[in-house]
Amino acid sequence: MTRPSAHRVPPGFTERTASGHRAMDPCAKLLQERIVLLGTPIDETSANDVTARFLYLEHQAPDRDISLYVNSPGGSFHAMSAIYDTLRHVTCDVETICLGRAEGTAVLLLAAGTPGKRSVLPGARLVLRQPALTEPVEGRASDLVVRAEELSRIRSRTEEMLVRHTGRTAEQVRSDIERDTVLDARAAVERGLADRIVPDRRGAHPAVGVR
């Protein structure tokens, strides 16, 4: 069984104020701006962190958008499902942005954002892949059958999510995840995983949509 990882806290910083300086927690500062960062593998710990932030922000302002920034290698399907269900449960629109990478289950969260509000940065790297066991499997034949059935169920759920959020056919999705499919930002938009590419904000060009 995969053990939850400890929460990784970014280093703090000092902010200048009218009365001097004060120490700031980056996560708290981001939360004030309704930004949630998923920058770790997806496990029970990171899922609880993200879902708690979603529910808090919905309570604070149920009609304001939440921004979910994704830079994750993926991880547990069940932990991802907790985030996915919460993302779809809250009344707020959820803007999703991939910076860095989104692989495996992390891709599903990017795609599940509110339609029209799913973005990738130009250097983003996405990887579509089928679910797989993350550790050696041992046990009785009957136990192995149960594990195989569960893995098949997870694959079916993965395909259903991708069909729902990308607009691609079931056949196309099955082909996409049969082997690792590595996508750059433009290919991610073409596959329906995002709606637009967000360029360098210092530039003057508008965001690029491919669909």
Side-chain angles (χ1 to χ4, degrees), residues 34-188:
R34 301 183 66 80
I35 294 172
V36 177
L37 174 65
L38 176 59
T40 64
I42 299 173
D43 57 18
E44 290 87 346
T45 300
S46 59
N48 286 336
D49 286 348
V50 172
T51 55
R53 285 167 168 74
F54 275 13
L55 295 173
Y56 168 77
L57 292 173
E58 181 197 29
H59 175 74
Q60 290 293 103
D63 58 345
R64 291 182 58 197
D65 288 8
I66 297 171
S67 296
L68 175 64
Y69 282 79
V70 179
N71 178 25
S72 172
S76 163
F77 180 86
H78 301 296
M80 180 281 300
S81 293
I83 302 174
Y84 177 88
D85 287 344
T86 306
L87 183 155
R88 292 175 58 79
H89 170 76
V90 295
T91 57
C92 316
D93 281 0
V94 179
E95 173 192 31
T96 54
I97 305 99
C98 176
L99 68 168
R101 62 174 171 166
E103 301 181 13
T105 53
V107 175
L108 301 176
L109 296 177
L110 174 70
T114 301
K117 298 183 179 183
R118 306 171 305 162
S119 306
V120 288
L121 270 62
R125 177 181 185 271
L126 285 74
V127 182
L128 289 167
R129 62 168 57 105
Q130 64 175 298
L133 296 174
T134 57
E135 53 192 19
V137 179
E138 299 179 353
R140 296 167 298 185
S142 57
D143 294 332
L144 299 181
V145 170
V146 171
R147 295 290 295 275
E149 290 174 347
E150 174 65 1
L151 191 60
S152 178
R153 186 190 71 83
I154 290 173
R155 170 160 179 153
S156 294
R157 286 282 293 132
T158 298
E159 292 175 1
E160 290 170 7
M161 290 177 183
L162 288 171
V163 169
R164 176 184 302 128
H165 297 297
T166 66
R168 290 170 69 78
T169 67
E171 292 75 16
Q172 289 173 322
V173 165
R174 291 191 195 101
S175 177
D176 287 341
I177 68 172
E178 188 61 33
R179 295 182 177 83
D180 281 10
T181 301
V182 181
L183 307 171
D184 61 12
R186 179 169 291 274

